[in-house]
Amino acid sequence: MANFHVYAAGTGSNVEHPAIRRIGVSDVFDALRRGFEDFWDKPSHYVFLCLIYPVVGVFLITWTSGGNALQLIYPLMTGFALLGPFAAIGLYEISRRREQNMDTSWWHALEVRNSPAMPAIAVLGVMLMALFIVWLFTAQALFSWLYGDSAPATFFGLASDVLTTQRGWTLIILGNVIGFLFALVALSTTVIAFPLLLDRDIGAYAAVETSARAIMANPMPMLLWGLIVAVGLVIGTLPLLVGLAIVLPVLGHSTWHLYRKVIEAAPASTGNRA
């Protein structure tokens, strides 16, 4: 496993600990501004890359409607964001290339498959997928606890019950609190893990550990970033999920710039990508 840098870079049990910078709220908004700049540089390319997200979202809604699982529409839409850090890996590559004045044609996003850190990236992707699945099971268990095992007959009937009854408000409050905890786990373990792995092949464990240290060193700015991501995704889902085709690439590019602000540049000898 060490040969593929899944656990840590190099051989043996050596783990690299990238230096963490302290950032402020202004840095978070500057990263967001730079993300917008990356997006507008060639917006048609980036929208094309991210059209898959609203398509998948519509598919999930259709599937749950036909499968008598209407109660999972909201958990699916919100939980899908847990996979965002992994799904945006190609956007980090575009921002990296633009930062270095390299060609940013959209097909370069596919070049991440040649990254030496791809095994570690895949491991973290599987971790997020597992977190997503556990979230869905947890949401279903909460619904069953409050509503029993019978599935809702119609979407409007479910919405009316959720919004106008005590058990519905209990579902909203508990569901969002639990969802917040899942999002906090994802944020704490992967906030800069994927761009870090793309830039420096240091291994999955070191990437997760560095993300956790970044959160502890910058709790308020990182929580603000998490709030911006959450609000952006909500706004993106409102116009039938089409807004995600803009929100997701902007957030993806911004994550790269947030990573650059939080993590000290690697010495040339550590194998960072050119």
Side-chain angles (χ1 to χ4, degrees):
M1 295 291 282
N3 291 333
F4 291 99
H5 311 308
V6 172
Y7 176 78
T11 58
S13 59
N14 295 327
V15 177
E16 182 180 344
H17 301 282
I20 304 292
R21 295 192 186 103
R22 292 190 179 275
I23 64 171
V25 170
S26 61
D27 292 303
V28 174
F29 285 108
D30 185 61
L32 190 62
R33 178 186 62 80
R34 291 172 181 267
F36 271 107
E37 290 178 354
D38 285 358
F39 174 75
W40 287 118
D41 183 49
K42 291 184 179 178
S44 60
H45 289 176
Y46 301 175
V47 169
F48 173 80
L49 283 173
C50 293
L51 282 177
I52 183 63
Y53 299 116
V55 170
V56 170
V58 172
F59 169 77
L60 292 175
I61 292 176
T62 303
W63 174 74
T64 54
S65 300
N68 294 323
L70 290 169
Q71 70 277 8
L72 290 180
I73 289 180
Y74 181 75
L76 279 167
M77 291 174 60
T78 55
F80 190 62
L82 297 175
L83 305 176
F86 175 68
I89 190 74
L91 299 172
Y92 309 146
E93 175 65 11
I94 295 298
S95 286
R96 187 188 72 84
R97 296 181 67 86
R98 185 171 186 263
E99 179 181 86
Q100 299 181 14
N101 296 316
M102 301 170 68
D103 181 22
T104 56
S105 299
W106 66 265
W107 56 80
H108 288 297
L110 302 177
E111 292 184 1
V112 296
R113 70 186 188 278
N114 299 321
S115 169
M118 201 60 211
I121 291 171
V123 166
L124 293 190
V126 170
M127 183 191 77
L128 288 183
M129 177 60 73
L131 189 67
F132 174 68
I133 293 172
V134 172
W135 157 243
L136 292 182
F137 276 106
T138 303
Q140 178 60 46
L142 177 62
F143 182 86
S144 298
W145 176 59
L146 293 170
Y147 283 82
D149 295 328
S150 58
T154 66
F155 174 80
F156 291 106
L158 173 64
S160 176
D161 190 280
V162 168
L163 295 174
T164 60
T165 66
Q166 182 176 353
R167 66 176 181 177
W169 279 103
T170 301
L171 178 66
I172 291 174
I173 294 172
L174 289 181
N176 281 286
V177 168
I178 295 172
F180 170 78
L181 295 177
F182 274 86
L184 188 60
V185 170
L187 181 71
S188 300
T189 55
T190 64
V191 61
I192 50 89
F194 288 102
L196 174 58
L197 285 173
L198 188 63
D199 190 43
R200 296 157 64 174
D201 182 17
I202 67 173
Y205 174 83
V208 170
E209 185 264 351
T210 303
S211 286
R213 287 192 295 115
I215 292 287
M216 290 186 289
N218 302 283
M220 293 306 297
M222 288 303 191
L223 288 176
L224 173 61
W225 173 247
L227 179 62
I228 289 173
V229 171
V231 172
L233 291 174
V234 169
I235 293 174
T237 61
L238 292 180
L240 297 177
L241 306 180
V242 174
L244 292 178
I246 295 177
V247 170
L248 283 168
V250 169
L251 293 176
H253 293 305
S254 300
T255 298
W256 173 263
H257 294 291
L258 185 68
Y259 154 70
R260 283 300 200 202
K261 289 179 177 293
V262 172
I263 303 300
E264 292 280 359
S269 60
T270 62
N272 55 311
R273 292 179 64 188

